C-alpha cells in the first residue's frame, strides 16, 4: 500500500517532465540543432551538397555582393514596415469602430476575421487574379465605363511589392483587430466617462488614455506579425513568384532559390543566418523592454 | 457652488422605465445622498446629472441653468467613480493634471493646484507613482484629488467606498465629510449603505424602483420615515414593524397587540393626530419601534410590555435582545447584562418616538 502511494507520488512528480520531454527534444533537434548546422554550413564552401570545411566569411561576402540579395533586403524592409504599420493601424481603427456598441457587431467581426482562415497560397492566388489588369479591378472599372483607368502595379517592377503588401494586409488586419478588440473590451468604461467629464473628446481619450492602455495588445500583434512578415514565402510564390523579374524577391525566397535551385547552399545558409539575426535584432530588445515594463507593474 | 434641481425627471431604456418622475431640490452647499438598493435608479440619476445619460423627460438645473442638453464637460462638475477610473498609464500627477491640461490651465498653475490638492489629501509622496502601485484607499484619494482640482460647482460621488475594506471605508468616509466641510461645495453622493447616508448627508433621498420615497434631513428620515420601506432600509438593526389594532380611550391612542392564547398587550400614548386617531380607530396599523426606544423597566407601571426573550446578541456597548410580539420578531437595544435569553423581561417603551403606519398603504400616519 505504502509503496504504491509512493509510486503514484513519484509519477505525479515526473509526469510533467515526461510529457514535456518529446516536444523539447523535437524542438532541440528540429530548431536549435538545425540553426547550428545552418550556421556551420554558412561558414563552409558547400554548394550542391553540404561540405564540412571552413572558408570563413566567404559565403557572406558572396551573399552581399549579389544584387538580387540587395533587392530582397530592400523589399523586406518596404514590405515589413508597410505591412506592420498598415495592419496595426487599420486593425486598431477597426477595433475602435467596432467597440462603439454598433449593431451586427458579431457578424462584422466574423467577416473581418475570415481572411485569417485562408492560407497565404489561397490569398496569393486570389489577389493575383484581382490585381491582374486583364481580369481584376482594372477590367471591372474599365468595363464600367472608365476606360482610361489603369491599375497594373503587379506587372510593374517598381510597384509589385506594394501588391504583396495589399494582399498581406488584407489577410492579417482582421487578426490584429480581434486582438485589439479584446484589449478594448477589458478597459473599464468609467475611465472613458471620467475623461469625458474632464472635457476630453473621444479622439483625445483614445490617443492619450485608451491606446496607451493597449500596450500588451500591441506587443502581441507586433511580435506575431513581424515573424509573419519575415518568413513570408508562400504569399510571394503564389502572388508574384518573385517577379516581375526579381522585383518581389524576399530573403526567404532568395534563400530557397539559392539553396535548392542554384546550388549555392553556402550562400543560402548565409542568407538564413542574416534573417535570423534580423529577427533577433528586432524582437529581442522589444520583448526585453516590454517584459521588463510589465514586471515593474505597468 | 451651486443649487441643484431635479424636476420631474424620467428615464426609460426602451420600454423599461428606470426613473418614474423624480423631483429633488437641494440648496447650495448641501450634501445630498441618493440612498437605495441596487437597481433603484440612483446611479442612473447620477449619470444623468453628470450628462453621461440623456434625460427622457423633465429638467435638471444646476445653479438655475437647465443642463439637459449640455455635454458633461460644460456642466462644471467633477465625478468620483466606484472603480476610481484612474488613467492607468499615467502617474498620479498626470492623472490629476489631465483635466486642467485639457482646459488649458498654465503649467505653473497646474503644478500649484496639484500640490495643494495633494497636501489636502495627504498624498504628496504618491505623486510620481502609477495607479497600479497604489492601494485602494490611495487610489480613491487620487480620484478625489482629480475632482478637487477642478473646483467644480458640483461634486458627484458614485459609491466611492464600495470597493474598500471595512476599516478603510470608515476612514475615507470621514475624509469625504472633512472635504465637504472644508470646500463647502454641493455634493451628490450615491450609496446603498444607510450608515454612509446618515453620517455624510445633509439631505437624504431614499429611492426604490425609480421613485423617491422620502427626501429629508437624515435625522428626520431616521425618526419619521415616510413609509415602511424607508423605515426598514434606514437604521441597523432596522425598525421593528409590529401589526396592531388602534384603539382610542380617554388618555389617547392605544396600540393593541394580539398575543396568541393570552390577553392582548397594550401600549398607550401613541403619538398620533386627533383626526387620524378617530379615522383609524379600530383599524389595523403597523407600529414602528426602533430598537433603542426600549429600556429595561424599573418595575413601575406605565408604558411597559412583558416579553419572552429568545436570543441575546451582545455588541459591546449594548446588547440586542430579540423577542416576538404579535407574530413578528422585535429587536431591543438594551444595556449589557440586563436581560437573559429564554427568560421573561419587562420593557418600557419611549412612546413619543413610535411611528405608526397604515397596514394597507404602508405610509406613515401622523
Amino acid at each position: 500500500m505504502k509503496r504504491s502511494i509512493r509510486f503514484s507520488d513519484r509519477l505525479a512528480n515526473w509526469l510533467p517532465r515526461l510529457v514535456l520531454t518529446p516536444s523539447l527534444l523535437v524542438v532541440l533537434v528540429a530548431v536549435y540543432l538545425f540553426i547550428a548546422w545552418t550556421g556551420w554550413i554558412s561558414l563552409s564552401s558547400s554548394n550542391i551538397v553540404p561540405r564540412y570545411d571552413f572558408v570563413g566569411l566567404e559565403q557572406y561576402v558572396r551573399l552581399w555582393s549579389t544584387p538580387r540579395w540587395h533587392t530582397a533586403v530592400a523589399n523586406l524592409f518596404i514590405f515589413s514596415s508597410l505591412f506592420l504599420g498598415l495592419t496595426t493601424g487599420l486593425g486598431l481603427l477597426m477595433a475602435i469602430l467596432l467597440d462603439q456598441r454598433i449593431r451586427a457587431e458579431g457578424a462584422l467581426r466574423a467577416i473581418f476575421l475570415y481572411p485569417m482562415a485562408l492560407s497565404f497560397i489561397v490569398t496569393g492566388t486570389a489577389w493575383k487574379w484581382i490585381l491582374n489588369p486583364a481580369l481584376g479591378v482594372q477590367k471591372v472599372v474599365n468595363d464600367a465605363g472608365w476606360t482610361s483607368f489603369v491599375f497594373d502595379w503587379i506587372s510593374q517592377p517598381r510597384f509589385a511589392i506594394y501588391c504583396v503588401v495589399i494582399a498581406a494586409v488584407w489577410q492579417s488586419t482582421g487578426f490584429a483587430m480581434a486582438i485589439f478588440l479584446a484589449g478594448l473590451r477589458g478597459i473599464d468604461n468609467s475611465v472613458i466617462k471620467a475623461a469625458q467629464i474632464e472635457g476630453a473628446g473621444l479622439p483625445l481619450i483614445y490617443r492619450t488614455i485608451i491606446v496607451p492602455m493597449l500596450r500588451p495588445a500591441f506587443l502581441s500583434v507586433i511580435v506575431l506579425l513581424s515573424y509573419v512578415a519575415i518568413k513570408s514565402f508562400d504569399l510571394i510564390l503564389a502572388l508574384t513568384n518573385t517577379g516581375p523579374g526579381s522585383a518581389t524577391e524576399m530573403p526567404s525566397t532568395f534563400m530557397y532559390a539559392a539553396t535548392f535551385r542554384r546550388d549555392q547552399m553556402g550562400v543560402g545558409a548565409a542568407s538564413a543566418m542574416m534573417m535570423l539575426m534580423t529577427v533577433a535584432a528586432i524582437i529581442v530588445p522589444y520583448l526585453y523592454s516590454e517584459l521588463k515594463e510589465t514586471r515593474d507593474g505597468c | 457652488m451651486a443649487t441643484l434641481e431635479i424636476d420631474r425627471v424620467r428615464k426609460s431604456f426602451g420600454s423599461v422605465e428606470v426613473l418614474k418622475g423624480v423631483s429633488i431640490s437641494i440648496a447650495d452647499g448641501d450634501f445630498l445622498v441618493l440612498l437605495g438598493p441596487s437597481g433603484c435608479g440612483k446611479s442612473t440619476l447620477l449619470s444623468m446629472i453628470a450628462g453621461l445619460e440623456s434625460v427622457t423627460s423633465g429638467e435638471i438645473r444646476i445653479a438655475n441653468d437647465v443642463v439637459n442638453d449640455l455635454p458633461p464637460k460644460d456642466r462644471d462638475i467633477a465625478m468620483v467613480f466606484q472603480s476610481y477610473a484612474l488613467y492607468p498609464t499615467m502617474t498620479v500627477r498626470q492623472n490629476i493634471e489631465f483635466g486642467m491640461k485639457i482646459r488649458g490651465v498654465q503649467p505653473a498653475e497646474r503644478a500649484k493646484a496639484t500640490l495643494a490638492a495633494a497636501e489636502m489629501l495627504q498624498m504628496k509622496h504618491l505623486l510620481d507613482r502609477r495607479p497600479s502601485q497604489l492601494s485602494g484607499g490611495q487610489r480613491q484619494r487620487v480620484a478625489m484629488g482629480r475632482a478637487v482640482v477642478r473646483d467644480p460647482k458640483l461634486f458627484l460621488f458614485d459609491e466611492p467606498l464600495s470597493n474598500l475594506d471595512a476599516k478603510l471605508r470608515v476612514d475615507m468616509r470621514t475624509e469625504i465629510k472633512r472635504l465637504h466641510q472644508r470646500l463647502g461645495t454641493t455634493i451628490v453622493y450615491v450609496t446603498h449603505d444607510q450608515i454612509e447616508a446618515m453620517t455624510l448627508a445633509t439631505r437624504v433621498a431614499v429611492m426604490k424602483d425609480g421613485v423617491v420615497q422620502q427626501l429629508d434631513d437624515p435625522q428626520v428620515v431616521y425618526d419619521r420615515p415616510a413609509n415602511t420601506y424607508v423605515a426598514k432600509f434606514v437604521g441597523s438593526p432596522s425598525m421593528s414593524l409590529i401589526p396592531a389594532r388602534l384603539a382610542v380611550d380617554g388618555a389617547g391612542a392605544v396600540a393593541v397587540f394580539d398575543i396568541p392564547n393570552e390577553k392582548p398587550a397594550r401600549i398607550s400614548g401613541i403619538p398620533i393626530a386627533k383626526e387620524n386617531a378617530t379615522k383609524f380607530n379600530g383599524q389595523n396599523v403597523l407600529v414602528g419601534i426602533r430598537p433603542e426606544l426600549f429600556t429595561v423597566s424599573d418595575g413601575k407601571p406605565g408604558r411597559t410590555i412583558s416579553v419572552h426573550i429568545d436570543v441575546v446578541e451582545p455588541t459591546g456597548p449594548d446588547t440586542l435582545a430579540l423577542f416576538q410580539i404579535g407574530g413578528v420578531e422585535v429587536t431591543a437595544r438594551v444595556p449589557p447584562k440586563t436581560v437573559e435569553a429564554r427568560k421573561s423581561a419587562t420593557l418600557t417603551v419611549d412612546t413619543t418616538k413610535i411611528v405608526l403606519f397604515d397596514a394597507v398603504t404602508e405610509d406613515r400616519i401622523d
Side-chain angles (χ1 to χ4, degrees):
Chain A
M1 199 61 199
K2 206 174 175 189
R3 269 177 76 186
S4 75
I5 289 171
R6 219 182 259 160
F7 174 73
S8 71
D9 274 359
R10 212 179 301 160
L11 186 69
N13 224 341
W14 277 96
L15 200 59
R17 289 172 229 195
L18 275 175
V19 173
L20 286 177
T21 305
S23 57
L24 192 68
L25 280 177
V26 169
V27 169
L28 271 179
V29 172
V31 178
Y32 294 99
L33 186 71
F34 279 98
I35 287 178
W37 187 77
T38 309
W40 185 12
I41 294 292
S42 75
L43 299 172
S44 72
S45 64
S46 308
N47 40 40
I48 190 162
V49 287
R51 247 183 261 158
Y52 300 103
D53 53 357
F54 181 76
V55 295
L57 295 175
E58 195 182 289
Q59 302 287 13
Y60 290 88
V61 175
R62 271 176 74 191
L63 174 71
W64 282 101
S65 51
T66 312
R68 217 182 160 95
W69 172 251
H70 285 278
T71 315
V73 170
N75 275 343
L76 176 67
F77 221 75
I78 297 170
F79 175 74
S80 343
S81 46
L82 281 178
F83 170 67
L84 274 180
L86 286 174
T87 311
T88 316
L90 283 175
L92 181 63
L93 184 69
M94 276 155 58
I96 288 173
L97 294 179
L98 263 189
D99 195 34
Q100 309 300 318
R101 289 198 222 153
I102 55 164
R103 219 175 287 171
E105 186 208 308
L108 284 171
R109 208 170 43 202
I111 290 172
F112 289 135
L113 206 48
Y114 199 68
M116 266 292 282
L118 301 178
S119 85
F120 268 124
I121 297 287
V122 178
T123 304
T125 310
W127 278 92
K128 185 162 79 182
W129 293 335
I130 295 172
L131 295 167
N132 185 329
L135 288 172
V137 178
Q138 184 181 328
K139 184 171 166 23
V140 170
V141 176
N142 288 351
D143 288 353
W146 184 3
T147 46
S148 60
F149 176 80
V150 177
F151 184 61
D152 58 352
W153 284 8
I154 200 160
S155 54
Q156 294 208 18
R158 271 185 61 206
F159 292 115
I161 189 68
Y162 300 111
C163 293
V164 183
V165 173
I166 291 173
V169 167
W170 175 83
Q171 163 129 12
S172 299
T173 299
F175 164 73
M177 178 208 72
I179 292 185
F180 284 126
L181 192 59
L184 287 171
R185 287 291 144 84
I187 291 176
D188 178 10
N189 224 340
S190 55
V191 171
I192 299 177
K193 288 185 189 167
Q196 271 178 339
I197 288 178
E198 295 208 270
L202 269 183
L204 185 71
I205 293 176
Y206 274 101
R207 212 182 63 232
T208 57
I209 299 168
I210 307 295
V211 172
M213 283 172 83
L214 290 177
R215 247 184 121 104
F218 273 98
L219 172 73
S220 316
V221 168
I222 287 176
V223 167
L224 291 172
L225 290 183
S226 2
Y227 96 85
V228 169
I230 290 167
K231 71 167 194 177
S232 57
F233 175 76
D234 36 7
L235 180 65
I236 309 277
L237 285 193
L239 185 62
T240 61
N241 198 13
T242 75
S246 63
T248 54
E249 187 80 273
M250 294 278 267
S252 54
T253 54
F254 177 93
M255 176 193 71
Y256 175 78
T259 312
F260 300 111
R261 290 220 190 116
R262 264 181 256 129
D263 304 336
Q264 299 176 320
M265 191 176 274
V267 174
S271 69
M273 293 315 286
M274 292 311 302
M275 284 166 66
L276 177 70
M277 286 181 241
T278 313
V279 175
I282 296 168
I283 301 280
V284 170
Y286 188 70
L287 273 180
Y288 185 76
S289 77
E290 280 295 330
L291 295 178
K292 201 175 126 224
E293 289 254 350
T294 32
R295 225 175 302 139
D296 288 349
C298 279
Chain B
M1 301 255 259
T3 59
L4 170 70
E5 281 136 36
I6 298 162
D7 192 2
R8 284 162 296 167
V9 162
R10 289 175 180 275
K11 176 69 184 176
S12 308
F13 292 107
S15 60
V16 185
E17 194 165 41
V18 182
L19 294 176
K20 300 162 185 166
V22 169
S23 293
I24 294 172
S25 156
I26 56 169
D28 186 14
D30 259 339
F31 195 129
L32 170 71
V33 171
L34 301 175
L35 176 66
S38 49
C40 73
K42 57 189 193 302
S43 286
T44 308
L45 182 59
L46 194 75
S47 294
M48 287 160 76
I49 298 171
L52 299 169
E53 293 279 359
S54 62
V55 178
T56 306
S57 76
E59 260 182 15
I60 296 177
R61 290 186 289 270
I62 298 174
N64 299 320
D65 296 325
V66 178
V67 295
N68 281 27
D69 300 317
L70 276 187
K73 67 185 173 77
D74 296 329
R75 297 190 179 199
D76 202 1
I77 50 167
M79 188 156 170
V80 176
F81 292 84
Q82 178 177 1
S83 59
Y84 322 125
L86 300 180
Y87 313 129
T89 54
M90 302 185 191
T91 63
V92 169
R93 190 190 305 278
Q94 289 167 329
N95 260 283
I96 295 175
E97 292 195 357
F98 180 75
M100 292 191 279
K101 235 184 205 165
I102 290 171
R103 290 190 296 279
V105 179
Q106 292 306 308
E109 262 177 73
R110 288 205 303 254
K112 215 173 97 189
T114 305
L115 207 62
E119 245 161 40
M120 185 165 81
L121 294 163
Q122 290 147 39
M123 53 173 194
K124 249 168 92 179
H125 58 295
L126 304 177
L127 282 177
D128 293 310
R129 296 207 202 157
R130 283 178 196 276
S132 57
Q133 297 163 311
L134 303 180
S135 70
Q138 289 171 330
R139 286 182 205 189
Q140 197 53 276
R141 256 169 228 274
V142 177
M144 276 160 65
R146 202 169 60 176
V148 166
V149 293
R150 166 120 204 203
D151 190 19
K153 281 187 202 154
L154 201 59
F155 278 118
L156 306 177
F157 286 88
D158 188 6
E159 308 214 20
L161 306 182
S162 301
N163 285 3
L164 302 178
D165 62 55
K167 168 91 177 68
L168 208 52
R169 201 177 298 170
V170 175
D171 294 347
M172 287 305 289
R173 203 170 69 197
T174 314
E175 199 78 23
I176 292 173
K177 183 114 190 175
R178 194 171 286 144
L179 186 82
H180 179 238
Q181 280 172 1
R182 190 172 321 173
L183 300 175
T185 312
T186 316
I187 294 182
V188 181
Y189 184 107
V190 162
T191 183
H192 59 263
D193 182 349
Q194 52 94 20
I195 300 272
E196 276 173 32
M198 290 300 295
T199 48
L200 291 171
T202 61
R203 304 285 281 165
V204 177
V206 184
M207 293 180 66
K208 180 199 172 196
D209 298 337
V211 177
V212 174
Q213 305 290 317
Q214 187 170 12
L215 171 66
D216 255 316
D217 294 353
Q219 197 61 51
V220 175
V221 170
Y222 186 81
D223 288 337
R224 306 288 295 159
N227 52 38
T228 56
Y229 180 79
V230 178
K232 278 282 183 195
F233 200 84
V234 177
S236 173
S238 61
M239 181 187 270
S240 307
L241 297 171
I242 314 162
R245 214 162 4 88
L246 197 70
V248 181
D249 64 12
V254 182
V256 182
F257 307 97
D258 287 322
I259 294 168
N261 311 324
E262 271 180 57
K263 213 173 89 191
R266 299 164 69 89
I267 294 180
S268 55
I270 305 287
I272 180 171
K274 224 176 195 148
E275 64 271 21
N276 277 336
T278 339
K279 187 177 156 201
F280 285 93
N281 189 7
Q283 294 196 24
N284 289 332
V285 290
L286 292 169
V287 178
I289 309 179
R290 293 264 178 216
E292 62 274 16
L293 299 188
F294 291 99
T295 44
V296 178
S297 174
D298 49 11
K300 285 182 199 157
R303 288 154 182 179
T304 59
I305 188 161
S306 298
V307 295
H308 182 78
I309 309 286
D310 291 328
V311 179
V312 167
E313 296 175 344
T315 63
D318 29 44
T319 291
L320 302 178
L322 277 69
F323 48 87
Q324 301 261 332
I325 301 177
V328 295
E329 188 150 82
V330 179
T331 310
R333 192 196 293 275
V334 293
K337 306 253 177 207
T338 49
V339 292
E340 274 179 75
R342 278 175 274 158
K343 293 226 169 124
S344 290
T346 309
L347 301 175
T348 304
V349 186
D350 178 358
T351 53
T352 57
K353 287 190 173 168
I354 281 182
V355 189
L356 277 194
F357 299 95
D358 187 323
V360 182
T361 64
E362 306 209 330
D363 287 335
R364 189 183 69 225
I365 307 169
D366 284 315

